[in-house]
């Protein structure tokens, strides 16, 4: 029998009992919940009143894996009012463990209408620049997006959540009632001319606009 193993480690001998001078194969099964580390186990053999032991060291290593981390797990972006989209960039970090060194292919899932995502480079090994692009077709609201990373074999599948809040755009346009003003030079004193500055709110803009020339 085998004694002293941590929870999650099971063993089996074949054959068991074993005849004299013949070997028995010891198989160890390690579950996913067993922490990495070195464990000292005891192999015990009993035959009648005879009882002997032998030490066995079990070395449990971390399996190759990686994690994904977003520079900003929540982002607020104003929806653009014109044809020029709004962008937001941050870094996706890839943290390897257990000797993982392969490239990770990144994708964005759950993006609403008017929102797209791009990663550069992709695939990536340590980090990737993640850019969200929002165009004028997007609607206000909050949604949770998923950044997914797959290793080259597809066996490792890791995700990071991104909370995206889209707010109504706010801007204003500025125009003149008359684009030109004619003023005659006076013989003395001053002459004046005028036109009208027109401020038009766009979206949810409601602020005051300070004008200057």
């Amino acid at each position: 029998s085998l004694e002293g193993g941590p929870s999650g480690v099971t063993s089996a001998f074949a054959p068991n009992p074993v005849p004299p001078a013949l070997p028995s194969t010891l198989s160890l099964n390690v579950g996913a919940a067993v922490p990495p580390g070195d464990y000292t186990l005891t192999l015990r053999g009993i035959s009648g009143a005879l009882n002997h032991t032998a030490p066995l060291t079990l070395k449990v290593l971390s399996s190759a894996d990686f994690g994904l981390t977003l520079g900003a797990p929540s982002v607020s972006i104003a929806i653009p009012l014109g044809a020029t989209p709004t962008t937001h960039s941050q870094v996706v970090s890839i943290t390897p463990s257990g000797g993982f060194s392969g490239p990770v292919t990144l994708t964005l899932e759950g993006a609403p209408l008017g929102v797209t995502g791009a990663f550069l480079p992709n695939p990536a090994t340590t980090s990737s620049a993640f850019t969200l692009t929002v165009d004028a077709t997007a609607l206000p609201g909050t949604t949770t997006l998923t950044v997914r990373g797959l290793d080259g074999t597809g066996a490792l599948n890791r995700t990071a959540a991104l909370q995206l809040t889209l707010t109504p755009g706010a801007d204003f346009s500025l125009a003149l009632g008359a684009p030109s003003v004619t003023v005659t030079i006076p013989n003395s004193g001053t002459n004046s001319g005028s036109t009208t500055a027109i401020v038009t709110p766009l979206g949810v803009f409601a602020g005051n606009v300070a004008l200057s020339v």
Side-chain angles (χ1 to χ4, degrees):
S1 63
L2 191 66
E3 303 170 356
S7 177
V9 174
T10 59
S11 61
F13 297 87
N16 191 21
V18 57
L22 291 179
S24 178
T25 300
L26 167 61
S27 299
L28 292 171
N29 298 310
V30 179
V34 178
D38 292 344
Y39 300 91
T40 299
L41 285 64
T42 299
L43 172 64
R44 186 177 301 277
I46 299 175
S47 179
L50 301 175
N51 186 331
H52 294 282
T53 61
L56 172 67
T57 298
L58 171 63
K59 184 181 292 290
V60 178
L61 302 177
S62 298
S63 57
D65 203 350
F66 68 90
L68 295 180
T69 305
L70 296 176
S74 62
V75 174
S76 180
I77 302 176
I79 299 170
L81 297 170
T84 302
T86 302
T87 60
H88 177 276
S89 295
Q90 61 172 295
V91 174
V92 179
S93 298
I94 301 168
T95 305
S97 61
F100 179 84
S101 61
V104 175
T105 299
L106 301 168
T107 56
L108 179 66
E109 301 174 358
L113 175 70
V115 177
T116 58
F119 302 89
L120 186 67
N122 193 19
T125 54
T126 57
S127 64
S128 181
F130 171 34
T131 300
L132 279 173
T133 300
V134 179
D135 65 33
T137 65
L139 299 175
T142 299
T143 186
T144 299
L145 284 62
T146 299
V147 175
R148 186 176 303 278
L150 293 174
D151 74 332
T153 66
L156 297 177
N157 183 337
R158 301 294 176 258
T159 61
L162 171 65
Q163 180 176 285
L164 173 64
T165 299
L166 298 176
T167 60
D171 201 352
F172 66 89
S173 65
L174 183 62
L176 292 171
S180 64
V181 176
T182 301
V183 179
T184 302
I185 299 174
N187 292 324
S188 63
T190 61
N191 277 345
S192 63
S194 67
T195 186
T196 302
I198 303 171
V199 176
T200 302
L202 302 175
V204 295
F205 181 82
N208 296 323
V209 178
L211 302 174
S212 63
V213 176

